[in-house]
Amino acid sequence: MSQTFSAECEDVDQPSPSAPQVSPSPQRSGPNVIVLSSAGKPIFSRWGDEEKLSAACGLVQAIRASILDDPSLGGDIQSLHADNNTKMVFLTVGSLTLLAIAEGGIDDGECETEAYLRMQLEYVYGQIIFTLTDTIQSVFARRHNFDLRSMLGATEAVMRGILDQASPMGNGGSFLCAGVETVWPIPHEIRDNASRVLSAVCGKHSDTCLFAILLVGNKMVSVVMPRYRAHQLHPSDLHLILNFCNYQPGLLTNELWFPLCLPRFNSSGFVYAYTTCLDSGSGLACILISQENTNEQFERFRKAGASIRQSLGLRAPKSTVLRVKDSSAATSCGGSSDGNPDSSSANSDMEKATVHDITWQRNTASIDDDSGEKETQEEEQGSEKVVDELAGVFGRELTVSETSNVSLTESIRGTEEEDAGRAAASAVHGESTLVKILNEVNRNRVRETMIEKYLQLASAMHFLFRIDVAVYDTGGMLTQCLSPPLGFPFVDETSKRRVWNMYQRLSLRLRLGSASVESTMDAFEMIVEDQRSNADGHHGLGIGKDCPAQCLMESPPNIHGCSFILDGSELFIAMNGRDFELYATLPGKIPPRHGTAYCARLVRRLMNDEGKLFLAYPHTWSR
């Protein structure tokens, strides 16, 4: 049995001058995370220089070795508490040890729970596998002192991005709920039409195309996956893809082809992603993922990207052409008033022509010059319709102009087996509206207005909502979440940390009945054993057995329930039911019974608005 140790360190606040500093600075948000090898060589540190942490890393491995040598302790170290002010959580996978160091009052809820710290370590480990696959373990088996930093490269910035997002000053709702954030609000008809375009265009290559994703930043618009449940994306893999693209902006401004590993899908091999930016103004981009790494597959995806752009009614990408204009020819046609020049004057004229008579003209035109003017006219004609479609976001039905050639409402009634031509024709109007809605939502504070209405409905100061959407005819679920940023009165790190930590404790209560360390560690052991016993066929290819915290957060509570914490001037409520979870912060003067009723009213409204807040109908293709 794995053990959790508590060490009372009287001098923890007064370290010796020679002692290495591994704890996070108070000015920094969230825990410090260190990755080291079994030989004690530092690989990654969220803060500080890895070289200066060498002594501390060696000490960590020495502590682990002493515990492993004692059979009575029953396993590796899991966490260590020091003077009720510092918490250290460990994750060891093969030759890699990951350590999270968090500061704050442990008993009063000012410090993250073991489960949440462990989950952050699992995401960092997943990001390493995302870049290198788990073959790095075999490298360490041959060379214990191998320096992995040379292979990570720019991945360190991506790992820091994950930790920043999960920190109190970020927005860790998607990690706590194990759900993917979507771009919202988008009317269901328009989002579903985008899914049909992906399914129709990429479905023709379903034997080589695994996944197709539309995204804006690190938020998802739509995703199409295989129908076979075992081949569908885990939320953690979706997080890694979206986070990687968000912190590598060059990937979305160019057409690129790069390898990546999906740790929960298959941690031992690469798949290959094609990215293209569909609209630079709104940031709408497309990612197509295949298991094949060939020039032919790249060209197939490139053509598919162009078809998606055309089917969405977007402008063709601009091409910049440099043309050389030789004005010396025109000058020579005009003649010379001095008659025939001699040899020396001819050479001088040639030199002048070389310097002055060759000019560069830059022409910018679309790839399809004939369609550029038509697309501009269509955009101008459709601008008046955006107002009506945005009005549909706030409760009215989405209306389509009677002058439209093809009715959008008719286009979404077809089946996925219809030709791509019909889906493309029907999307020309509707999906050009998608981009306009994205732009209008960002400009007009639509999201802020909707959040204010939701908060007023429940008399709440903040909420976090998770929904499990069924993937049609597969038995799988696509977990999504709505995670508004914390606003007033939670403006500083201390207040924000307090809210997120209360949500973490409530999440454990819903799942385990208790937020204690002992119940968490017992749950981890049960999950690991279950993952190992089910490690047959495809299910044994991922790192699920090494990520019990992710598995715990992904699994919904078995019993519908409600829990609350009355702490100071705030009332924190968590409730779950069929396919949903809600976490909310209410004023402490509201009685828990009334607060629960208010939260139930908010849940009903969010479920009614499912179509415009989430991807309510995930599409699949046969595979």
Side-chain angles (χ1 to χ4, degrees), residues 199 203 205-207 209 225-228 416-417 620-623:
S199 180
H205 311 294
S206 61
D207 55 335
C209 183
M225 301 182 289
R227 187 166 298 172
Y228 181 44
E416 295 185 19
E417 290 76 12
T620 61
W621 46 55
S622 300
R623 184 176 175 80

Side-chain angles (χ1 to χ4, degrees), residues 42-64:
I43 296 172
F44 166 79
S45 175
R46 185 183 181 190
W47 300 315
D49 186 1
E50 291 90 349
E51 293 297 337
K52 296 181 181 179
L53 297 174
S54 298
C57 292
L59 177 61
V60 168
Q61 292 296 9
I63 294 174
R64 288 190 58 247

Side-chain angles (χ1 to χ4, degrees), residues 61-122:
Q61 292 296 9
I63 294 174
R64 288 190 58 247
S66 63
I67 293 175
L68 291 173
D69 289 340
D70 189 348
S72 63
L73 297 179
D76 206 344
I77 185 172
Q78 297 293 328
S79 66
L80 190 149
H81 299 171
D83 196 27
N84 195 35
N85 190 54
T86 302
K87 180 184 297 184
M88 289 176 280
V89 175
F90 296 79
L91 170 63
T92 300
V93 183
S95 298
L96 294 179
T97 297
L98 296 89
L99 171 65
I101 307 172
E103 292 183 343
I106 297 176
D107 294 336
D108 56 10
E110 294 181 4
C111 188
E112 291 88 343
T113 62
E114 274 79 359
Y116 194 72
L117 291 172
R118 173 67 178 260
M119 184 177 61
Q120 293 182 67
L121 296 180
E122 293 172 1

Side-chain angles (χ1 to χ4, degrees), residues 556-571:
N558 294 326
I559 301 175
H560 300 173
C562 178
S563 181
F564 71 90
I565 299 175
L566 182 59
D567 185 75
S569 58
E570 283 85 31
L571 172 65

Side-chain angles (χ1 to χ4, degrees), residues 196-467:
R196 289 188 180 277
V197 169
L198 289 180
S199 180
V201 174
C202 300
K204 294 185 290 186
H205 311 294
S206 61
D207 55 335
T208 58
C209 183
L210 291 173
F211 314 105
I213 306 172
L214 284 180
L215 70 154
V216 176
N218 63 343
K219 294 179 173 58
M220 181 184 69
V221 176
S222 179
V223 61
V224 181
M225 301 182 289
R227 187 166 298 172
Y228 181 44
R229 182 177 179 180
H231 289 175
Q232 294 174 6
L233 279 173
H234 287 268
S236 59
D237 286 345
L238 259 176
H239 276 146
L240 293 177
I241 295 172
L242 297 175
N243 181 78
F244 181 77
C245 293
N246 186 47
Y247 285 92
Q248 301 289 333
L251 296 178
L252 302 182
T253 57
N254 302 281
E255 289 182 300
L256 288 183
W257 177 257
F258 57 93
L260 58 89
C261 174
L262 301 176
R264 297 289 298 279
F265 179 71
N266 185 351
S267 60
S268 61
F270 284 113
V271 292
Y272 303 89
Y274 167 84
T275 64
T276 181
C277 184
L278 301 178
D279 181 74
S280 58
S282 62
L284 181 65
C286 178
I287 301 178
L288 306 177
I289 299 177
S290 172
Q291 75 276 25
E292 294 188 2
N293 181 28
T294 61
N295 292 334
E296 293 77 10
Q297 185 61 34
F298 173 79
E299 289 300 327
R300 281 195 290 267
F301 275 172
R302 193 178 187 188
K303 292 178 181 178
S307 298
I308 292 172
R309 178 182 286 107
Q310 181 181 5
S311 299
L312 297 182
L314 302 174
R315 289 175 178 266
K318 300 293 183 179
S319 60
T320 301
V321 181
L322 291 177
R323 295 181 180 177
V324 179
K325 295 176 63 179
D326 189 355
S327 59
S328 62
T331 303
S332 62
C333 293
S336 176
S337 59
D338 297 334
N340 294 329
D342 55 15
S343 175
S344 61
S345 62
N347 292 337
S348 178
D349 290 340
M350 289 292 293
E351 293 175 359
K352 292 180 181 180
T354 303
V355 177
H356 302 288
D357 295 340
I358 297 179
T359 59
W360 294 88
Q361 180 181 5
R362 183 179 294 273
N363 294 334
T364 303
S366 63
I367 292 179
D368 187 357
D369 294 331
D370 296 333
S371 62
E373 184 177 354
K374 295 180 180 178
E375 290 176 353
T376 303
Q377 294 175 354
E378 290 178 357
E379 182 176 357
E380 293 175 352
Q381 294 173 357
S383 60
E384 298 179 356
K385 304 171 188 176
V386 178
V387 177
D388 290 337
E389 287 155 355
L390 282 176
V393 173
F394 292 97
R396 287 176 42 198
E397 288 189 7
L398 180 65
T399 59
V400 180
S401 173
E402 295 179 358
T403 59
S404 176
N405 291 331
V406 181
S407 172
L408 177 63
T409 56
E410 292 179 358
S411 70
I412 63 173
R413 294 173 185 168
T415 61
E416 295 185 19
E417 290 76 12
E418 292 175 332
D419 295 334
R422 179 180 175 184
S426 63
V428 169
H429 166 72
E431 291 303 337
S432 62
T433 306
L434 168 62
V435 173
K436 295 176 184 177
I437 286 181
L438 294 176
N439 293 329
E440 289 296 326
V441 165
N442 292 330
R443 284 196 296 262
N444 295 334
R445 298 184 72 250
V446 174
R447 296 190 186 97
E448 291 81 355
T449 303
M450 294 183 65
I451 291 298
E452 290 175 2
K453 292 183 178 180
Y454 289 142
L455 293 176
Q456 292 174 3
L457 188 65
S459 300
M461 295 180 285
H462 182 260
F463 72 91
L464 170 65
F465 185 71
R466 160 179 166 159
I467 184 171

Side-chain angles (χ1 to χ4, degrees), residues 605-616:
R605 174 62 62 85
L606 293 172
M607 297 295 282
N608 289 337
D609 293 345
E610 175 186 355
K612 56 191 174 188
L613 297 177
F614 306 103
L615 176 60

